[in-house]
Amino acid sequence: MSVDETMVRRIANLARIGVEDAELPALAKELSAILGFVEQLSEVDTEQVKPLTSAVDTTMRLRADEVTDGGYPQDVLANAPDKDDDYFAVPKVVE
């Protein structure tokens, strides 16, 4: 994919980056080279490659999936500006 100066100006505007007009040709060339490299990566055959979550082959340490309330609601609600029983009370924000 070829990137021209108009596209560089638009990308810079979207990213809220100030770019001088004199820098546009060099940035267009650099972005075109980067996108060319990414296109080369899409040509690599990865059909037989398993997805990795880590470079080291490990298994996740799991714990039991148990629902708990922490066991101390009064301590949690001690700093609440307003509460209703064991719940935080907040002002209505949607009509």
Side-chain angles (χ1 to χ4, degrees):
M1 177 178 189
S2 178
V3 178
D4 60 355
E5 293 179 21
T6 305
M7 188 178 291
V8 172
R9 187 176 285 116
R10 179 167 161 72
I11 292 169
N13 182 36
L14 290 172
R16 306 290 194 264
I17 299 172
V19 176
E20 299 293 327
D21 288 340
E23 298 174 316
L24 291 176
L27 286 174
K29 186 176 178 182
E30 284 183 43
L31 287 174
S32 292
I34 291 169
L35 291 176
F37 178 71
V38 171
E39 287 175 358
Q40 284 181 357
L41 290 176
S42 68
E43 296 172 6
V44 176
D45 180 24
T46 58
E47 192 68 32
Q48 301 299 320
V49 178
K50 294 181 183 177
L52 294 176
T53 56
S54 173
V56 180
D57 190 23
T58 61
T59 57
M60 296 285 293
R61 287 183 269 168
L62 302 176
R63 61 175 173 79
D65 189 15
E66 299 171 352
V67 178
T68 64
D69 63 357
Y72 43 90
Q74 298 308 319
D75 293 341
V76 172
L77 293 170
N79 293 323
D82 192 15
K83 57 186 173 183
D84 183 12
D85 290 329
D86 286 340
Y87 301 98
F88 287 97
V90 296
K92 184 177 179 180
V93 293
V94 179
E95 294 296 326

